[in-house]
Amino acid sequence: MTEFSFSCTGVRTDAYAAGPTLVFRLRITASEGTRVHALALRCQIRVEPARRGYGDEEAEALADLFGERSRWGSSLNPVQFVQVSVMVPGFTGETETDLVVPCTYDTDIAATRYLRALSGGEVPLLMLFSGTAFTGAGGFHVEPVPWDREAAHRMPVKVWEEMIEQHFPGCGWIRLPRASVDALLAYRSRHALPSWQATVESLLDAVGENAAEERTP
């Protein structure tokens, strides 16, 4: 069996991608002298929130994911980020390749909510590898990449922020059921509101006024 090891040497945003995309640089090492004809690699990336500290504002923003800070001893569990695949060209000994990771800004997804809550520092990631290797000096041997191969990486929060700002400058988005979107559209039409922002602000103002009336004796 060929012995494989993996490490992540850095991460950057893809400035030319149609949507938010991170590019992780992987270094892959095989047993000395082993000829790898190709490597069909799968990678699961997850966030390990217990591996960093948090300020009070961050802790407040993370309450909907992990609860109050007093509960974090049992609730600060790993968060699934993404699963991606890459075909690595042939190499002998060691090579480097890009792992392209399309990202979402959907606030229903736990990883996105986690990343939005961070005000700086680094994101503790764990990359778990598996796949199939085609090896052999005089022919092809098919070998699995062991399931215990992994690599830790600390991604700067600013890399995520730069990527999101590139595609959604100053904005975010929320996924809603079609019935809710239709109801919002009807409300916007009835009140002749010029934009979705004005529609949401009008609803928030109405809620604030109702709350104030309820508090009035």
Side-chain angles (χ1 to χ4, degrees):
M1 290 286 291
T2 302
E3 187 71 20
F4 289 98
S5 62
F6 301 87
S7 62
C8 180
T9 62
V11 59
R12 58 180 172 83
T13 64
D14 186 342
Y16 302 101
T21 302
L22 295 172
V23 182
F24 291 85
R25 190 66 175 172
L26 297 182
R27 179 173 294 146
I28 305 169
T29 304
S31 301
E32 185 176 357
T34 298
R35 174 61 180 164
V36 179
H37 299 285
L39 179 60
L41 189 65
R42 294 185 297 273
C43 180
Q44 177 189 152
I45 304 178
R46 68 188 188 192
V47 179
E48 300 214 309
R51 290 172 47 210
R52 62 159 283 169
Y54 303 92
D56 291 340
E57 290 186 4
E58 292 174 325
E60 183 177 350
L62 290 169
D64 65 329
L65 282 178
F66 306 120
E68 298 299 321
R69 194 191 284 268
S70 60
R71 296 178 48 206
W72 284 9
S74 58
S75 66
L76 213 61
N77 297 317
V79 175
Q80 178 71 16
F81 185 28
V82 71
Q83 294 191 58
V84 290
S85 300
V86 61
M87 181 62 72
V88 182
F91 67 95
T92 299
E94 185 176 277
T95 190
E96 291 193 1
T97 191
D98 286 337
L99 182 69
V100 179
V101 177
C103 300
T104 177
Y105 198 32
D106 187 343
T107 54
D108 284 342
I109 296 176
T112 299
R113 288 154 60 196
Y114 173 84
L115 289 161
R116 278 175 53 88
L118 303 183
S119 59
E122 297 174 325
V123 183
L125 301 176
L126 184 65
M127 312 176 80
L128 306 169
F129 299 97
S130 61
T132 303
F134 302 89
T135 64
F140 280 84
H141 302 285
V142 180
E143 304 181 46
V145 176
W147 284 87
D148 62 351
R149 304 296 92 166
E150 61 183 43
H153 182 68
R154 302 186 73 86
M155 178 179 72
V157 172
K158 66 179 181 180
V159 173
W160 169 267
E161 293 174 340
E162 290 170 0
M163 178 190 69
I164 295 302
E165 185 63 20
Q166 175 186 340
H167 292 277
F168 304 102
C171 300
W173 60 274
I174 299 173
R175 182 175 58 186
L176 294 172
R178 184 171 299 172
S180 298
V181 174
D182 290 343
L184 283 171
L185 182 58
Y187 179 89
R188 176 178 173 177
S189 298
R190 286 197 307 272
H191 293 81
L193 297 167
S195 66
W196 287 114
Q197 179 177 344
T199 303
V200 173
E201 289 176 348
S202 174
L203 288 167
L204 291 174
D205 289 342
V207 170
E209 291 172 1
N210 290 336
E213 291 176 358
E214 290 176 359
R215 290 194 298 269
T216 301

